[in-house]
Amino acid sequence: MACVLVLSALVLLGVRDGVGSTECRRERLPSSALYTGPYFDATMPTNVTAQLGTHAFLPCIIQQLDDKSVSWVRNRDSHILTVDRYTFIADERFQCFHVDNSETWTLQIKYVQTRDAGLYECQISTEPKICHIVTLNVIVPRVAIVGGERDLHVNAGSTVTIQCVISRSIEQPAFVFWHHDGRLVMSPAGGRHRTAVERTGADTTVSTLVISRVRRADSGNYTCQPSNLPHATVLLHVLNGEHHAAMQDGVSAGHPAGHPGHLWLLCVGLSLLGAITDALVTQPRPARGVDVT
């Protein structure tokens, strides 16, 4: 019986194989006080904004619906998503909610993706059909390691602080995980690893990873992974103090800053050679024909 009712609704809507006509009249208010047919509530939103990975809710409020059907249609491909409470798309993220004796038919889109952005039509099966269009905007937050470097060089035994900033986010992530070479970083009480998450602004969340007394084994890739969002990675190099200073100054330890070690030695050698040559040239010679014995 349910199948018969659904098929009947599809016939009324002009739906075939999940694709229907989006040709409809954008009507909201009745033309007169005596109007008895269905119409859209004027207070309905025309724009809905959702963050990547969250759930979007597109409401459609209809007065005097009577025995008419309500469908949600995706505008970009004219695909029928739902008819009344039935779903007509293989993507299980789409669902329509309706509470008995209420006037609201809400399209839910779970785990919103960037491709979901666009126009959606709430249609009533009148003749001709009337519709209300809602625009879904999808915000994609930015996830980045502070400093932006791909490599981080630190001395063994020091304390390292790595910060991950999630910006342009209208919702704080449910969680932010840190991974070291693919393994989840744990922060037990008294351990060397500590993590913290803080909402620092209306659209910004900062996750901080602190590693105390770093060891060579702590070297590797550290990845910040917020829930349902892109990730950011930094490569940590744990070095001894001498090698680290050489990498920072561009010279070998023990040589003057700004001169590579071999060039400095070459300069000293040339100076000594010049001094010896000058001494040999200026040494006095005995007069010719004079017996010096």
Side-chain angles (χ1 to χ4, degrees):
M1 184 64 180
C3 292
V4 174
L5 292 175
V6 172
L7 289 174
S8 300
L10 293 178
V11 171
L12 290 173
L13 289 166
V15 178
R16 183 180 178 85
D17 297 330
V19 178
S21 171
T22 59
E23 296 179 2
C24 58
R25 203 155 35 95
R26 300 186 186 184
E27 181 176 314
R28 287 190 172 196
L29 298 175
S31 55
S32 69
L34 299 177
Y35 183 77
T36 58
Y39 63 93
F40 295 105
D41 194 297
T43 63
M44 284 192 299
T46 57
N47 283 278
V48 172
T49 299
Q51 182 173 300
L52 179 71
T54 63
H55 297 352
F57 298 91
L58 283 60
C60 183
I61 306 174
I62 303 172
Q63 305 291 342
Q64 301 179 179
L65 180 61
D66 197 21
D67 60 349
K68 302 300 181 182
S69 294
V70 178
S71 62
W72 277 100
V73 179
R74 186 167 56 196
N75 185 273
R76 63 178 167 86
D77 57 3
S78 299
H79 202 302
I80 295 291
L81 303 176
T82 64
V83 177
D84 293 335
R85 293 175 178 171
Y86 297 94
T87 302
F88 287 88
I89 186 170
D91 191 338
E92 296 180 353
R93 297 180 304 120
F94 292 88
Q95 186 177 2
C96 184
F97 291 102
H98 172 68
V99 177
D100 290 338
N101 301 317
S102 72
E103 292 80 29
T104 304
W105 300 79
T106 302
L107 177 66
Q108 179 191 46
I109 308 175
K110 298 179 181 179
Y111 309 109
V112 169
Q113 303 172 14
T114 53
R115 70 172 185 266
D116 295 326
L119 305 179
Y120 292 82
E121 298 179 9
C122 176
Q123 295 185 357
I124 304 176
S125 61
T126 55
E127 187 58 44
K129 293 191 292 291
I130 57 175
C131 63
H132 169 69
I133 296 180
V134 181
T135 301
L136 174 62
N137 305 289
V138 178
I139 293 180
V140 181
R142 181 175 182 268
V143 182
I145 301 294
V146 171
E149 299 89 353
R150 293 184 178 179
D151 295 84
L152 178 62
H153 300 86
V154 298
N155 287 327
S158 62
T159 296
V160 179
T161 300
I162 307 175
Q163 287 191 316
C164 176
V165 178
I166 302 103
S167 57
R168 300 200 298 259
S169 60
I170 57 178
E171 294 185 25
Q172 179 173 337
F175 59 82
V176 181
F177 287 147
W178 284 91
H179 293 87
H180 175 212
D181 289 338
R183 298 186 301 273
L184 181 65
V185 175
M186 306 299 290
S187 54
R192 294 186 304 111
H193 298 77
R194 301 191 309 274
T195 59
V197 178
E198 180 184 5
R199 190 72 169 177
T200 60
D203 64 350
T204 304
T205 300
V206 177
S207 178
T208 304
L209 170 64
V210 179
I211 311 173
S212 303
R213 305 183 303 279
V214 292
R215 310 163 182 168
R216 293 297 296 271
D218 293 322
S219 297
N221 284 303
Y222 285 84
T223 301
C224 166
Q225 180 63 74
S227 57
N228 301 318
L229 291 177
H231 64 269
T233 300
V234 66
L235 179 59
L236 178 66
H237 303 269
V238 180
L239 308 170
N240 60 46
E242 181 177 333
H243 289 165
H244 183 236
M247 293 188 68
Q248 294 297 321
D249 297 335
V251 299
S252 299
H255 294 294
H259 297 279
H262 67 276
L263 181 58
W264 181 76
L265 290 175
L266 179 60
C267 292
V268 172
L270 290 175
S271 298
L272 291 175
L273 180 59
I276 294 172
T277 302
D278 291 342
L280 292 175
V281 171
T282 57
Q283 182 177 358
R285 299 179 180 178
R288 182 176 295 178
V290 178
D291 187 359
V292 296
T293 60

